Amino acid sequence: MSFSYYLLQLVAYGVARLPFRVLYLLSDVMYVLLYYVLSYRKKVVMTNLRTSFPEKSEKELKRICKDFYHYLCDMFLETFKTLTISREDMVKRCEFTPATIALFNQLAEDGKSVILVMGHKGNWEWAGNSFSILLKQQLYVIYHPLSNKGMDALMYKMRTRFGTKLYAMQDTFREMVKNRKEINATAFIADQSPQPATAHWTRFLNQDTPVFKGTEKIAQKMNYPIVYVAVNKVKRGYYSVEASMLIDEPTKLGEGEITDIHTQQLERDIIAQPSTWLWSHRRWKHKRQPQPQEEAVASI
């Protein structure tokens, strides 16, 4: 391993060992640097907010923007805390509701593996850790291997510490087939930005938006129920995870229906708690191109 890898490990574990009180003081300093000094992606965030919430005043949007940067800094440092946090603190700070635990226990009792669908909202990293501590299913999370080998190894360690296993995105379906005799749950974070030519297009937060078809296609091929997972911020450093059965029999739905359903559910959650979604992501960098029939209608 290179010197930079060991330096990264040293810094990461140094941050992870900080008491939460000190961690959030550091987060407040990061917030000032990102928001006021560096203006990190502030134009992207405000553009996304203005387009998503045209009914809100500029004052309201700026308040959401500031709250988002506070959340972003907190979540970044909270993720490092995964390296040292105890199991007891993990499930205390990222609780699963009793109804959510009951849902997954019933699915395990019924011998059903499931697909989880969620967005980059709340602390999704902590949610995966608590899932692996609290629930019976083996959790698999789909991820993009990072080009920086040191950072990739560190993220792998953080995500698997409590028993979660990872699928590289390109291997997902093959690995799911291989593990189909196991009672498990595979988590899809479905709000990334796919290539427009292969995406399903839908309306999301007042905009034409491309959405990955992978969740829908794999759910139908495996015939696994789809459970929607919401991660809501309760207060600083504490989250609540709530899951609900979204689609029990995915093979009965037509093309695009599953994708529309889980995208609409995420939209409702974002509207309810807008500051805890990843607004700095260039979610709408691709624009929908008119289809031949749409162009023909427009020319009449």
Side-chain angles (χ1 to χ4, degrees):
M1 289 289 183
S2 66
F3 172 75
S4 61
Y5 169 76
Y6 290 108
L7 181 61
L8 180 62
Q9 291 274 314
L10 182 65
V11 172
Y13 275 94
V15 170
R17 289 192 174 95
L18 294 174
F20 275 103
R21 175 174 45 85
V22 178
L23 192 81
Y24 290 123
L25 285 174
L26 178 59
S27 177
D28 289 340
V29 174
M30 282 183 60
Y31 163 75
V32 172
L33 288 173
L34 282 185
Y35 186 82
Y36 290 103
V37 180
L38 301 176
S39 292
Y40 171 74
R41 292 197 176 184
K42 195 187 293 185
K43 288 184 179 179
V44 173
V45 173
M46 285 303 298
T47 297
N48 286 342
L49 287 171
R50 288 187 185 108
T51 313
S52 299
F53 301 113
E55 76 285 358
K56 292 187 183 297
S57 68
E58 195 69 8
K59 182 178 179 180
E60 289 176 296
L61 295 174
K62 285 182 179 179
R63 180 70 267 165
I64 294 171
C65 181
K66 287 183 177 181
D67 289 345
F68 161 72
Y69 277 93
H70 277 296
Y71 150 76
L72 182 67
C73 294
D74 283 358
M75 191 192 66
F76 177 76
L77 295 178
E78 286 167 357
T79 302
F80 286 104
K81 195 69 177 172
T82 306
L83 290 166
T84 60
I85 195 170
S86 68
R87 297 167 71 91
E88 293 75 20
D89 273 350
M90 187 73 269
V91 298
K92 177 183 175 183
R93 288 181 171 272
C94 192
E95 291 186 331
F96 276 50
T97 65
T100 295
I101 293 174
L103 170 63
F104 284 109
N105 284 345
Q106 186 61 57
L107 287 164
E109 188 176 321
D110 294 341
K112 291 183 178 181
S113 290
V114 296
I115 282 177
L116 313 179
V117 62
M118 59 195 302
H120 286 98
K121 183 181 176 298
N123 194 323
W124 60 90
E125 299 284 357
W126 277 12
N129 295 325
S130 286
F131 187 107
S132 290
I133 294 170
L134 291 170
L135 300 174
K136 299 173 183 177
Q137 290 88 346
Q138 172 61 58
L139 176 64
Y140 293 92
V141 172
I142 299 166
Y143 83 114
H144 288 284
L146 302 175
S147 56
N148 183 306
K149 299 301 182 184
M151 194 64 189
D152 187 65
L154 185 64
M155 291 301 296
Y156 193 95
K157 187 179 294 186
M158 288 190 287
R159 288 171 172 165
T160 60
R161 181 172 170 236
F162 293 110
T164 300
K165 296 181 181 180
L166 305 183
Y167 288 150
M169 177 171 276
Q170 67 272 16
D171 301 329
T172 300
F173 182 64
R174 182 173 64 251
E175 292 296 318
M176 288 180 71
V177 171
K178 188 169 73 175
N179 294 323
R180 69 184 313 155
K181 292 183 179 179
E182 176 186 56
I183 303 303
N184 58 47
T186 305
F188 289 70
I189 298 184
D191 58 352
Q192 300 178 58
S193 186
Q195 289 300 314
T198 58
H200 172 75
W201 285 85
T202 190
R203 291 294 288 179
F204 174 62
L205 292 171
N206 292 302
Q207 296 154 89
D208 281 337
T209 305
V211 185
F212 276 111
K213 297 178 182 178
T215 306
E216 173 177 310
K217 287 190 170 184
I218 291 178
Q220 291 182 325
K221 286 180 180 178
M222 301 296 295
N223 198 25
Y224 284 175
I226 302 174
V227 172
Y228 179 83
V229 179
V231 186
N232 300 309
K233 183 176 178 180
V234 178
K235 60 181 180 179
R236 194 175 202 183
Y238 291 86
Y239 301 86
S240 176
V241 179
E242 186 173 358
S244 56
M245 179 59 69
L246 195 68
I247 298 156
D248 196 25
E249 298 181 86
T251 55
K252 291 187 175 180
L253 277 71
E255 184 177 353
E257 289 185 78
I258 292 172
T259 304
D260 285 337
I261 290 168
H262 70 68
T263 302
Q264 289 161 8
Q265 182 60 58
L266 176 61
E267 180 181 74
R268 287 191 285 269
D269 286 348
I270 292 169
I271 291 170
Q273 198 176 60
S275 64
T276 61
W277 188 57
L278 203 58
W279 293 103
S280 54
H281 178 45
R282 291 187 172 90
R283 184 67 184 85
W284 292 281
K285 61 186 176 183
H286 299 300
K287 299 302 178 184
R288 186 175 188 176
Q289 298 301 314
Q291 298 300 306
Q293 61 269 31
E294 293 174 341
E295 294 176 341
V297 170
S299 65
I300 295 175

